[in-house]
């Protein structure tokens, strides 16, 4: 019995570590690619890897690997005559995913565009604003989620944290290895926050669909203004760009897989804590490699953001209840 508990705890620890590591690699790989220069089909001999829409496409490829994992799991259970009811009703029109898919495409592309114009740490922090919009939309669309007092306090706290991070990026702008000016950085921050509105619409519609059809999360992972040919050319000229892009693809795949496993074996609250904690690692690494120069408001803003997100997701409330019952 004790050995089983130990193995279970070890497994949970490994999955949690994998989730934090891949969540960190995902952002850092994308930013590393943004900061690299290489030749391509573009008339300019050597230029920055300015391909946010193509980066979004590579991320979708990573998500598509989750669907491959789902189909393998589905076929394996079917061949071994196991219970298939866990997959819910598979007879549904795939077009029900059209609106969430378009939201995913627009929101993710906008976020990667914002990432090219701001710091990796700020990108990770500002993504936390999605809790505000998902909370409001879940109430508006009547998904059965009632916002309590601590949820509202959490959302207000998140807004304060966002303002602190944004003001810090603008007022204490000190460059770093980036060629961006402070107005560009502020624009990037605003794009990331605006993208969270689209992502919130996607998440609330997905929740409504998955509750209705009982669809497995792995099955829901799916998949101009972009010079795709130039992106491929730059891959060929730069091994670093190729490694960064492949890192983005596989880190997304394993991040989603680890996240689902954490939700199933632990809980969604633990998953949210792990997702937000990767921001600290990204901030420290960005400082260490010179992508960002320390500015005092950023850690303050991040602490406020964390407090708001954890309050909104019941992490703090559950912890207080646990301590009271000890």
């Amino acid at each position: 019995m004790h050995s089983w508990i130990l193995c279970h705890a070890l497994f949970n620890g490994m999955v949690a570590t994998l989730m934090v590591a891949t969540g960190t690699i995902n952002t850092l790989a994308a930013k590393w690619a943004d900061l690299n220069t290489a030749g391509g089909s573009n008339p300019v001999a050597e230029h920055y890897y300015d391909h946010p829409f193509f980066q979004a496409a590579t991320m979708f490829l990573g998500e598509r690997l989750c669907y491959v994992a789902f189909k393998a799991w589905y076929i394996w259970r079917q061949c071994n005559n196991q219970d298939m009811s866990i997959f819910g009703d598979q007879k549904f029109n795939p077009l029900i995913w059209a609106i969430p898919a378009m939201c995913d495409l627009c929101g993710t592309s906008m976020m990667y565009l914002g990432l090219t114009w701001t710091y990796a740490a700020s990108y990770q922090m500002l993504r936390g604003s999605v809790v505000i919009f998902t909370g409001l939309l879940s109430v508006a669309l009547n998904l059965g989620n009632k916002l309590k007092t601590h949820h509202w306090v959490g959302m207000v706290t998140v807004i304060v944290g966002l303002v602190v991070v944004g003001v810090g990026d603008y007022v204490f702008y000190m460059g770093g290895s980036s060629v961006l000016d402070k107005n560009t950085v502020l624009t990037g921050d605003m794009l990331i926050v605006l993208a969270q509105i689209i992502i919130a619409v996607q998440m609330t519609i997905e929740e409504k669909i998955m509750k209705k059809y009982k669809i497995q999360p792995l099955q829901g992972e799916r998949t101009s203004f972009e010079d795709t040919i130039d992106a491929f050319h730059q891959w060929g000229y730069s091994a670093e760009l190729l490694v960064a892009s492949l890192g983005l693809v596989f880190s997304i795949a394993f991040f989603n897989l680890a996240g689902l496993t954490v939700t199933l074996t632990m809980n969604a609250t633990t998953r949210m804590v792990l997702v937000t904690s990767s921001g600290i690692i990204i901030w420290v690494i960005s400082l260490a490699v010179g992508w960002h120069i320390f500015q005092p408001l950023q850690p303050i803003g991040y602490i406020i953001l964390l407090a708001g997100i954890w309050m909104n997701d019941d992490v703090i409330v559950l912890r207080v209840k646990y301590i009271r019952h000890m």
Side-chain angles (χ1 to χ4, degrees), residues 26-170:
N26 171 29
T27 299
L28 292 177
K31 191 60 184 179
W32 183 30
D34 292 340
L35 294 174
N36 268 280
T37 58
S41 62
N42 191 300
V44 180
E46 189 169 292
H47 51 278
Y48 281 98
Y49 187 75
D50 187 17
H51 298 287
F53 300 101
F54 187 72
Q55 280 183 317
T58 58
M59 193 207 74
F60 294 143
L61 175 60
E63 289 188 342
R64 196 63 184 175
L65 294 178
C66 292
Y67 182 75
V68 173
F70 164 79
K71 292 303 290 185
W73 181 31
Y74 183 89
I75 293 171
W76 181 84
R77 290 186 69 91
Q78 195 173 44
C79 292
N80 288 276
N81 297 317
Q82 296 194 13
D83 180 23
M84 303 297 288
S85 63
I86 63 170
F87 296 107
D89 184 8
Q90 292 294 302
K91 296 178 181 179
F92 58 85
N93 188 344
L95 290 178
I96 62 174
W97 292 108
I99 295 177
M102 287 302 298
C103 289
D104 198 3
L105 174 63
C106 296
T108 303
S109 299
M110 190 181 293
M111 281 197 296
Y112 279 117
L113 180 59
L115 178 59
T116 63
W117 291 348
T118 191
Y119 308 110
S122 297
Y123 165 82
Q124 192 72 12
M125 294 176 191
L126 294 173
R127 288 172 65 185
S129 61
V130 72
V131 301
I132 301 169
F133 308 116
T134 51
L136 295 175
L137 283 171
S138 64
V139 173
L141 294 178
N142 195 25
L143 294 180
N145 302 326
K146 294 183 178 180
L147 296 181
K148 299 179 180 178
T149 302
H150 68 272
H151 292 135
W152 290 105
V153 173
M155 287 191 288
V156 171
T157 306
V158 169
I159 293 173
V160 174
L162 293 173
V163 172
V164 172
V165 171
V167 169
D169 280 348
Y170 188 81

Side-chain angles (χ1 to χ4, degrees), residues 166-241:
V167 169
D169 280 348
Y170 188 81
V171 175
F172 293 97
Y173 171 80
M174 290 177 283
S177 66
S178 173
V179 295
L180 305 173
D181 60 63
K182 63 180 181 179
N183 289 322
T184 304
V185 169
L186 184 61
T187 302
D189 289 349
M190 293 174 64
L191 274 176
I192 293 166
V193 174
L194 289 174
Q196 303 317 303
I197 300 176
I198 302 174
I199 298 298
V201 173
Q202 172 201 338
M203 292 172 68
T204 49
I205 295 176
E206 283 180 345
E207 183 181 350
K208 205 172 184 70
I209 292 172
M210 294 178 78
K211 281 182 177 179
K212 181 177 180 180
Y213 295 97
K214 297 181 180 179
I215 299 170
Q216 282 289 326
L218 276 179
Q219 190 176 3
E221 300 294 349
R222 74 223 146 257
T223 123
S224 96
F225 300 101
E226 179 63 80
D227 189 351
T228 305
I229 303 300
D230 182 61
F232 280 118
H233 272 275
Q234 287 191 286
W235 280 12
Y237 279 108
S238 173
E240 289 184 350
L241 277 176

